[in-house]
Amino acid sequence: MSAGCCCRQVACCCGTAGCALCCACCPRIKQSTSTRIMYALFFILVTIVCGTMMSPTVAELMKDNIPYYKDICDHIQAGSACEKLVGYSAVYKVCFGMAGFFFILMLLTINIKNSRGCRAYIHNGFWFFKFLILIAMCSGAFFIPDQETFSNVWRYVGAFFGFIFLLIQLRLLVQFAHKWNKNWTSAQVHKTFWSAALAFVTLILYSVAVGALALLAYFYTHPEGCLLNKIFLGVNGGLCLLVTLVAFSPCVQKYKPHSGVLQSGIISCYVMYLTFSSLSSKPPETMIDDMGRNVTICVPSFSKDLNQDGRLVSIIGAIILFACILYSCLTSTTRASSDALIGRYSPPETEVARCCFCCASSEEDGVDDRVVKKGGQHVAYDEETTTVYRYWYFHFVFFLGTFYMMMTVTNWFHYNYAEIEKLFIGSWSPFWIKMASCWACILVYLWTLLFPVCRGTRKGYVV
């Protein structure tokens, strides 16, 4: 590591310099992007800690492999086996600290116009000190008096704000689908190529959705039972068909000409994933076979191998959760992208079709940005004139995301028996929450289609 890179990292951790890698061959990074990546890493790190706290397997490994484990637990007053540092109560306390961290930053960054003020310096720099503050707030939550009352109240607070984050997450998904379709249908150059690519991707999406519905019907239903599963599969499949027909209806095409089957395909795939996740969370049913034995039904026969203890669903759910969080962090690299989050789009004639439509095009990159080329990756300070995303809203999303992560890791209202290895098995709370998310996703998408019709707004510039 060169001396210049060492100075850069020190300035990033203890000062206002933008964070960057030490490798000079890496492409240039914007300060606005590196800042959001750092906050996302904070969030992911705390999520890993919370997952570890909910894992009895990790607790046993630590107990068996850490020398003087019991003495250490007694010394820090965490109980004879550090029981105060594990379980849902510990996760509540850690998330209380992280939620407070992002809430304070949200209040501190209201109405910031550019990155040259003192408050903007705090938002974009001083990462070492902010990391220490985050650790202190998460640790300090363990000293909250009357732990039982705190846990009972905090659980309902987490459910409320977690549901709000879920709605924002669904909104981001719908806006992602609209932006993708509008970007590729607005192509002025190589229009035939982009039309063919759009048709190919749409075909893949619908094939996945239809195939998923067929597999769910095969593995999660039984000729002599599973009535609830059959009803929900029929309802969700019908809703996916409904939104496809609505997107192609003449009245919607008149006011929103860029609506199409691509958005409906994306929504259908996501609804099928949520359906799979909810049915996997549902407690299995039993029936008596011809030989008088109790037989478990409404779960796939391969569950003991592939989906044992819900690990498959947990892994998929974690990947999708982090993908949505990272997308919400990195999607606002330009003012136009930030406006898209609230439903405001640029006119189609200004669109440039490209594969990486979520990122800024070369035309949108600021040519007048100050670029620092000392020691490693070059950093462009792209917010010295105006910010490219709303700082306070960014922290507000992470504030809500903390509650959603907390409730997901602790299995919502089935917290007493929650284990990270058995997170999605045999619990009604995640089942109904996931199923309600399916319907909420459909409603949000329908609202984006029908609102311009009710309002009479042409061309779909505003949703």
Side-chain angles (χ1 to χ4, degrees), residues 220-238:
Y220 286 89
T221 61
H222 191 275
E224 300 180 13
C226 309
L227 178 61
L228 192 62
N229 291 8
K230 295 175 183 177
I231 291 175
F232 285 136
L233 285 174
V235 169
N236 291 348

mmCIF file with all atom_site columns, all heavy atoms in Angstrom, residues 220-238:
data_model
loop_
_atom_site.group_PDB
_atom_site.id
_atom_site.type_symbol
_atom_site.label_atom_id
_atom_site.label_alt_id
_atom_site.label_comp_id
_atom_site.label_asym_id
_atom_site.label_entity_id
_atom_site.label_seq_id
_atom_site.pdbx_PDB_ins_code
_atom_site.Cartn_x
_atom_site.Cartn_y
_atom_site.Cartn_z
_atom_site.occupancy
_atom_site.B_iso_or_equiv
_atom_site.pdbx_formal_charge
_atom_site.auth_seq_id
_atom_site.auth_comp_id
_atom_site.auth_asym_id
_atom_site.auth_atom_id
_atom_site.pdbx_PDB_model_num
ATOM 1   N N   . TYR A 1 220 ? -46.898 -27.800 -3.420  1.00 0.00 ? 220 TYR A N   1
ATOM 2   C CA  . TYR A 1 220 ? -47.523 -27.272 -2.212  1.00 0.00 ? 220 TYR A CA  1
ATOM 3   C C   . TYR A 1 220 ? -49.026 -27.542 -2.141  1.00 0.00 ? 220 TYR A C   1
ATOM 4   O O   . TYR A 1 220 ? -49.715 -26.911 -1.340  1.00 0.00 ? 220 TYR A O   1
ATOM 5   C CB  . TYR A 1 220 ? -47.250 -25.773 -2.086  1.00 0.00 ? 220 TYR A CB  1
ATOM 6   C CG  . TYR A 1 220 ? -45.836 -25.458 -1.678  1.00 0.00 ? 220 TYR A CG  1
ATOM 7   C CD1 . TYR A 1 220 ? -44.833 -25.290 -2.625  1.00 0.00 ? 220 TYR A CD1 1
ATOM 8   C CD2 . TYR A 1 220 ? -45.493 -25.323 -0.340  1.00 0.00 ? 220 TYR A CD2 1
ATOM 9   C CE1 . TYR A 1 220 ? -43.531 -25.002 -2.252  1.00 0.00 ? 220 TYR A CE1 1
ATOM 10  C CE2 . TYR A 1 220 ? -44.193 -25.029 0.052   1.00 0.00 ? 220 TYR A CE2 1
ATOM 11  C CZ  . TYR A 1 220 ? -43.216 -24.874 -0.917  1.00 0.00 ? 220 TYR A CZ  1
ATOM 12  O OH  . TYR A 1 220 ? -41.922 -24.592 -0.542  1.00 0.00 ? 220 TYR A OH  1
ATOM 13  N N   . THR A 1 221 ? -49.535 -28.400 -2.970  1.00 0.00 ? 221 THR A N   1
ATOM 14  C CA  . THR A 1 221 ? -50.948 -28.781 -2.887  1.00 0.00 ? 221 THR A CA  1
ATOM 15  C C   . THR A 1 221 ? -51.056 -30.300 -2.860  1.00 0.00 ? 221 THR A C   1
ATOM 16  O O   . THR A 1 221 ? -50.102 -31.014 -3.190  1.00 0.00 ? 221 THR A O   1
ATOM 17  C CB  . THR A 1 221 ? -51.751 -28.232 -4.079  1.00 0.00 ? 221 THR A CB  1
ATOM 18  O OG1 . THR A 1 221 ? -51.231 -28.766 -5.301  1.00 0.00 ? 221 THR A OG1 1
ATOM 19  C CG2 . THR A 1 221 ? -51.701 -26.711 -4.109  1.00 0.00 ? 221 THR A CG2 1
ATOM 20  N N   . HIS A 1 222 ? -52.230 -30.761 -2.444  1.00 0.00 ? 222 HIS A N   1
ATOM 21  C CA  . HIS A 1 222 ? -52.493 -32.196 -2.344  1.00 0.00 ? 222 HIS A CA  1
ATOM 22  C C   . HIS A 1 222 ? -53.941 -32.426 -2.764  1.00 0.00 ? 222 HIS A C   1
ATOM 23  O O   . HIS A 1 222 ? -54.822 -31.604 -2.441  1.00 0.00 ? 222 HIS A O   1
ATOM 24  C CB  . HIS A 1 222 ? -52.266 -32.690 -0.909  1.00 0.00 ? 222 HIS A CB  1
ATOM 25  C CG  . HIS A 1 222 ? -52.259 -34.182 -0.778  1.00 0.00 ? 222 HIS A CG  1
ATOM 26  N ND1 . HIS A 1 222 ? -53.429 -34.917 -0.633  1.00 0.00 ? 222 HIS A ND1 1
ATOM 27  C CD2 . HIS A 1 222 ? -51.243 -35.076 -0.776  1.00 0.00 ? 222 HIS A CD2 1
ATOM 28  C CE1 . HIS A 1 222 ? -53.122 -36.197 -0.539  1.00 0.00 ? 222 HIS A CE1 1
ATOM 29  N NE2 . HIS A 1 222 ? -51.803 -36.329 -0.617  1.00 0.00 ? 222 HIS A NE2 1
ATOM 30  N N   . PRO A 1 223 ? -54.224 -33.498 -3.473  1.00 0.00 ? 223 PRO A N   1
ATOM 31  C CA  . PRO A 1 223 ? -55.610 -33.724 -3.930  1.00 0.00 ? 223 PRO A CA  1
ATOM 32  C C   . PRO A 1 223 ? -56.632 -33.760 -2.807  1.00 0.00 ? 223 PRO A C   1
ATOM 33  O O   . PRO A 1 223 ? -57.794 -33.392 -3.009  1.00 0.00 ? 223 PRO A O   1
ATOM 34  C CB  . PRO A 1 223 ? -55.529 -35.079 -4.652  1.00 0.00 ? 223 PRO A CB  1
ATOM 35  C CG  . PRO A 1 223 ? -54.096 -35.200 -5.072  1.00 0.00 ? 223 PRO A CG  1
ATOM 36  C CD  . PRO A 1 223 ? -53.301 -34.523 -4.001  1.00 0.00 ? 223 PRO A CD  1
ATOM 37  N N   . GLU A 1 224 ? -56.221 -34.161 -1.608  1.00 0.00 ? 224 GLU A N   1
ATOM 38  C CA  . GLU A 1 224 ? -57.169 -34.328 -0.509  1.00 0.00 ? 224 GLU A CA  1
ATOM 39  C C   . GLU A 1 224 ? -56.992 -33.287 0.588   1.00 0.00 ? 224 GLU A C   1
ATOM 40  O O   . GLU A 1 224 ? -57.500 -33.463 1.702   1.00 0.00 ? 224 GLU A O   1
ATOM 41  C CB  . GLU A 1 224 ? -57.015 -35.726 0.082   1.00 0.00 ? 224 GLU A CB  1
ATOM 42  C CG  . GLU A 1 224 ? -57.270 -36.852 -0.916  1.00 0.00 ? 224 GLU A CG  1
ATOM 43  C CD  . GLU A 1 224 ? -57.110 -38.215 -0.279  1.00 0.00 ? 224 GLU A CD  1
ATOM 44  O OE1 . GLU A 1 224 ? -57.059 -38.274 0.967   1.00 0.00 ? 224 GLU A OE1 1
ATOM 45  O OE2 . GLU A 1 224 ? -57.033 -39.210 -1.019  1.00 0.00 ? 224 GLU A OE2 1
ATOM 46  N N   . GLY A 1 225 ? -56.297 -32.222 0.323   1.00 0.00 ? 225 GLY A N   1
ATOM 47  C CA  . GLY A 1 225 ? -56.107 -31.190 1.340   1.00 0.00 ? 225 GLY A CA  1
ATOM 48  C C   . GLY A 1 225 ? -55.481 -29.942 0.762   1.00 0.00 ? 225 GLY A C   1
ATOM 49  O O   . GLY A 1 225 ? -55.562 -29.680 -0.441  1.00 0.00 ? 225 GLY A O   1
ATOM 50  N N   . CYS A 1 226 ? -54.865 -29.146 1.647   1.00 0.00 ? 226 CYS A N   1
ATOM 51  C CA  . CYS A 1 226 ? -54.164 -27.915 1.242   1.00 0.00 ? 226 CYS A CA  1
ATOM 52  C C   . CYS A 1 226 ? -55.103 -26.914 0.570   1.00 0.00 ? 226 CYS A C   1
ATOM 53  O O   . CYS A 1 226 ? -54.737 -26.268 -0.416  1.00 0.00 ? 226 CYS A O   1
ATOM 54  C CB  . CYS A 1 226 ? -52.983 -28.230 0.323   1.00 0.00 ? 226 CYS A CB  1
ATOM 55  S SG  . CYS A 1 226 ? -51.856 -29.480 0.930   1.00 0.00 ? 226 CYS A SG  1
ATOM 56  N N   . LEU A 1 227 ? -56.322 -26.787 1.091   1.00 0.00 ? 227 LEU A N   1
ATOM 57  C CA  . LEU A 1 227 ? -57.305 -25.886 0.482   1.00 0.00 ? 227 LEU A CA  1
ATOM 58  C C   . LEU A 1 227 ? -56.808 -24.445 0.505   1.00 0.00 ? 227 LEU A C   1
ATOM 59  O O   . LEU A 1 227 ? -56.969 -23.710 -0.480  1.00 0.00 ? 227 LEU A O   1
ATOM 60  C CB  . LEU A 1 227 ? -58.644 -26.002 1.215   1.00 0.00 ? 227 LEU A CB  1
ATOM 61  C CG  . LEU A 1 227 ? -59.769 -25.079 0.725   1.00 0.00 ? 227 LEU A CG  1
ATOM 62  C CD1 . LEU A 1 227 ? -60.102 -25.378 -0.741  1.00 0.00 ? 227 LEU A CD1 1
ATOM 63  C CD2 . LEU A 1 227 ? -60.999 -25.213 1.612   1.00 0.00 ? 227 LEU A CD2 1
ATOM 64  N N   . LEU A 1 228 ? -56.213 -24.028 1.627   1.00 0.00 ? 228 LEU A N   1
ATOM 65  C CA  . LEU A 1 228 ? -55.734 -22.650 1.730   1.00 0.00 ? 228 LEU A CA  1
ATOM 66  C C   . LEU A 1 228 ? -54.655 -22.367 0.690   1.00 0.00 ? 228 LEU A C   1
ATOM 67  O O   . LEU A 1 228 ? -54.647 -21.305 0.052   1.00 0.00 ? 228 LEU A O   1
ATOM 68  C CB  . LEU A 1 228 ? -55.187 -22.401 3.140   1.00 0.00 ? 228 LEU A CB  1
ATOM 69  C CG  . LEU A 1 228 ? -54.912 -20.950 3.527   1.00 0.00 ? 228 LEU A CG  1
ATOM 70  C CD1 . LEU A 1 228 ? -56.191 -20.133 3.492   1.00 0.00 ? 228 LEU A CD1 1
ATOM 71  C CD2 . LEU A 1 228 ? -54.278 -20.882 4.914   1.00 0.00 ? 228 LEU A CD2 1
ATOM 72  N N   . ASN A 1 229 ? -53.746 -23.313 0.492   1.00 0.00 ? 229 ASN A N   1
ATOM 73  C CA  . ASN A 1 229 ? -52.704 -23.137 -0.523  1.00 0.00 ? 229 ASN A CA  1
ATOM 74  C C   . ASN A 1 229 ? -53.301 -23.013 -1.915  1.00 0.00 ? 229 ASN A C   1
ATOM 75  O O   . ASN A 1 229 ? -52.861 -22.184 -2.731  1.00 0.00 ? 229 ASN A O   1
ATOM 76  C CB  . ASN A 1 229 ? -51.731 -24.312 -0.485  1.00 0.00 ? 229 ASN A CB  1
ATOM 77  C CG  . ASN A 1 229 ? -50.878 -24.329 0.779   1.00 0.00 ? 229 ASN A CG  1
ATOM 78  O OD1 . ASN A 1 229 ? -51.114 -23.554 1.698   1.00 0.00 ? 229 ASN A OD1 1
ATOM 79  N ND2 . ASN A 1 229 ? -49.905 -25.214 0.828   1.00 0.00 ? 229 ASN A ND2 1
ATOM 80  N N   . LYS A 1 230 ? -54.299 -23.840 -2.221  1.00 0.00 ? 230 LYS A N   1
ATOM 81  C CA  . LYS A 1 230 ? -54.939 -23.795 -3.536  1.00 0.00 ? 230 LYS A CA  1
ATOM 82  C C   . LYS A 1 230 ? -55.618 -22.444 -3.768  1.00 0.00 ? 230 LYS A C   1
ATOM 83  O O   . LYS A 1 230 ? -55.537 -21.877 -4.870  1.00 0.00 ? 230 LYS A O   1
ATOM 84  C CB  . LYS A 1 230 ? -55.952 -24.923 -3.655  1.00 0.00 ? 230 LYS A CB  1
ATOM 85  C CG  . LYS A 1 230 ? -55.346 -26.322 -3.625  1.00 0.00 ? 230 LYS A CG  1
ATOM 86  C CD  . LYS A 1 230 ? -56.424 -27.380 -3.621  1.00 0.00 ? 230 LYS A CD  1
ATOM 87  C CE  . LYS A 1 230 ? -55.832 -28.781 -3.510  1.00 0.00 ? 230 LYS A CE  1
ATOM 88  N NZ  . LYS A 1 230 ? -56.894 -29.832 -3.421  1.00 0.00 ? 230 LYS A NZ  1
ATOM 89  N N   . ILE A 1 231 ? -56.258 -21.930 -2.715  1.00 0.00 ? 231 ILE A N   1
ATOM 90  C CA  . ILE A 1 231 ? -56.966 -20.647 -2.862  1.00 0.00 ? 231 ILE A CA  1
ATOM 91  C C   . ILE A 1 231 ? -55.971 -19.525 -3.149  1.00 0.00 ? 231 ILE A C   1
ATOM 92  O O   . ILE A 1 231 ? -56.158 -18.717 -4.072  1.00 0.00 ? 231 ILE A O   1
ATOM 93  C CB  . ILE A 1 231 ? -57.773 -20.338 -1.590  1.00 0.00 ? 231 ILE A CB  1
ATOM 94  C CG1 . ILE A 1 231 ? -58.946 -21.321 -1.454  1.00 0.00 ? 231 ILE A CG1 1
ATOM 95  C CG2 . ILE A 1 231 ? -58.283 -18.901 -1.611  1.00 0.00 ? 231 ILE A CG2 1
ATOM 96  C CD1 . ILE A 1 231 ? -59.716 -21.169 -0.160  1.00 0.00 ? 231 ILE A CD1 1
ATOM 97  N N   . PHE A 1 232 ? -54.889 -19.472 -2.370  1.00 0.00 ? 232 PHE A N   1
ATOM 98  C CA  . PHE A 1 232 ? -53.932 -18.382 -2.534  1.00 0.00 ? 232 PHE A CA  1
ATOM 99  C C   . PHE A 1 232 ? -53.172 -18.486 -3.853  1.00 0.00 ? 232 PHE A C   1
ATOM 100 O O   . PHE A 1 232 ? -52.857 -17.463 -4.470  1.00 0.00 ? 232 PHE A O   1
ATOM 101 C CB  . PHE A 1 232 ? -52.952 -18.357 -1.364  1.00 0.00 ? 232 PHE A CB  1
ATOM 102 C CG  . PHE A 1 232 ? -53.562 -17.811 -0.096  1.00 0.00 ? 232 PHE A CG  1
ATOM 103 C CD1 . PHE A 1 232 ? -53.348 -18.423 1.121   1.00 0.00 ? 232 PHE A CD1 1
ATOM 104 C CD2 . PHE A 1 232 ? -54.352 -16.679 -0.136  1.00 0.00 ? 232 PHE A CD2 1
ATOM 105 C CE1 . PHE A 1 232 ? -53.911 -17.923 2.278   1.00 0.00 ? 232 PHE A CE1 1
ATOM 106 C CE2 . PHE A 1 232 ? -54.925 -16.165 1.016   1.00 0.00 ? 232 PHE A CE2 1
ATOM 107 C CZ  . PHE A 1 232 ? -54.697 -16.788 2.228   1.00 0.00 ? 232 PHE A CZ  1
ATOM 108 N N   . LEU A 1 233 ? -52.867 -19.688 -4.288  1.00 0.00 ? 233 LEU A N   1
ATOM 109 C CA  . LEU A 1 233 ? -52.211 -19.844 -5.586  1.00 0.00 ? 233 LEU A CA  1
ATOM 110 C C   . LEU A 1 233 ? -53.127 -19.378 -6.711  1.00 0.00 ? 233 LEU A C   1
ATOM 111 O O   . LEU A 1 233 ? -52.687 -18.703 -7.651  1.00 0.00 ? 233 LEU A O   1
ATOM 112 C CB  . LEU A 1 233 ? -51.800 -21.294 -5.802  1.00 0.00 ? 233 LEU A CB  1
ATOM 113 C CG  . LEU A 1 233 ? -50.568 -21.783 -5.017  1.00 0.00 ? 233 LEU A CG  1
ATOM 114 C CD1 . LEU A 1 233 ? -50.370 -23.283 -5.205  1.00 0.00 ? 233 LEU A CD1 1
ATOM 115 C CD2 . LEU A 1 233 ? -49.321 -21.031 -5.465  1.00 0.00 ? 233 LEU A CD2 1
ATOM 116 N N   . GLY A 1 234 ? -54.408 -19.723 -6.610  1.00 0.00 ? 234 GLY A N   1
ATOM 117 C CA  . GLY A 1 234 ? -55.363 -19.266 -7.623  1.00 0.00 ? 234 GLY A CA  1
ATOM 118 C C   . GLY A 1 234 ? -55.545 -17.764 -7.613  1.00 0.00 ? 234 GLY A C   1
ATOM 119 O O   . GLY A 1 234 ? -55.577 -17.114 -8.667  1.00 0.00 ? 234 GLY A O   1
ATOM 120 N N   . VAL A 1 235 ? -55.646 -17.182 -6.403  1.00 0.00 ? 235 VAL A N   1
ATOM 121 C CA  . VAL A 1 235 ? -55.829 -15.733 -6.288  1.00 0.00 ? 235 VAL A CA  1
ATOM 122 C C   . VAL A 1 235 ? -54.614 -14.981 -6.818  1.00 0.00 ? 235 VAL A C   1
ATOM 123 O O   . VAL A 1 235 ? -54.740 -14.041 -7.620  1.00 0.00 ? 235 VAL A O   1
ATOM 124 C CB  . VAL A 1 235 ? -56.111 -15.345 -4.824  1.00 0.00 ? 235 VAL A CB  1
ATOM 125 C CG1 . VAL A 1 235 ? -56.042 -13.832 -4.640  1.00 0.00 ? 235 VAL A CG1 1
ATOM 126 C CG2 . VAL A 1 235 ? -57.479 -15.853 -4.390  1.00 0.00 ? 235 VAL A CG2 1
ATOM 127 N N   . ASN A 1 236 ? -53.412 -15.379 -6.408  1.00 0.00 ? 236 ASN A N   1
ATOM 128 C CA  . ASN A 1 236 ? -52.207 -14.666 -6.830  1.00 0.00 ? 236 ASN A CA  1
ATOM 129 C C   . ASN A 1 236 ? -51.937 -14.841 -8.322  1.00 0.00 ? 236 ASN A C   1
ATOM 130 O O   . ASN A 1 236 ? -51.508 -13.900 -9.005  1.00 0.00 ? 236 ASN A O   1
ATOM 131 C CB  . ASN A 1 236 ? -51.013 -15.148 -6.024  1.00 0.00 ? 236 ASN A CB  1
ATOM 132 C CG  . ASN A 1 236 ? -51.083 -14.726 -4.570  1.00 0.00 ? 236 ASN A CG  1
ATOM 133 O OD1 . ASN A 1 236 ? -51.908 -13.890 -4.202  1.00 0.00 ? 236 ASN A OD1 1
ATOM 134 N ND2 . ASN A 1 236 ? -50.240 -15.296 -3.736  1.00 0.00 ? 236 ASN A ND2 1
ATOM 135 N N   . GLY A 1 237 ? -52.189 -16.039 -8.838  1.00 0.00 ? 237 GLY A N   1
ATOM 136 C CA  . GLY A 1 237 ? -52.051 -16.235 -10.281 1.00 0.00 ? 237 GLY A CA  1
ATOM 137 C C   . GLY A 1 237 ? -53.044 -15.391 -11.057 1.00 0.00 ? 237 GLY A C   1
ATOM 138 O O   . GLY A 1 237 ? -52.711 -14.798 -12.088 1.00 0.00 ? 237 GLY A O   1
ATOM 139 N N   . GLY A 1 238 ? -54.291 -15.306 -10.558 1.00 0.00 ? 238 GLY A N   1
ATOM 140 C CA  . GLY A 1 238 ? -55.289 -14.471 -11.211 1.00 0.00 ? 238 GLY A CA  1
ATOM 141 C C   . GLY A 1 238 ? -54.952 -12.997 -11.160 1.00 0.00 ? 238 GLY A C   1
ATOM 142 O O   . GLY A 1 238 ? -55.184 -12.248 -12.130 1.00 0.00 ? 238 GLY A O   1
#
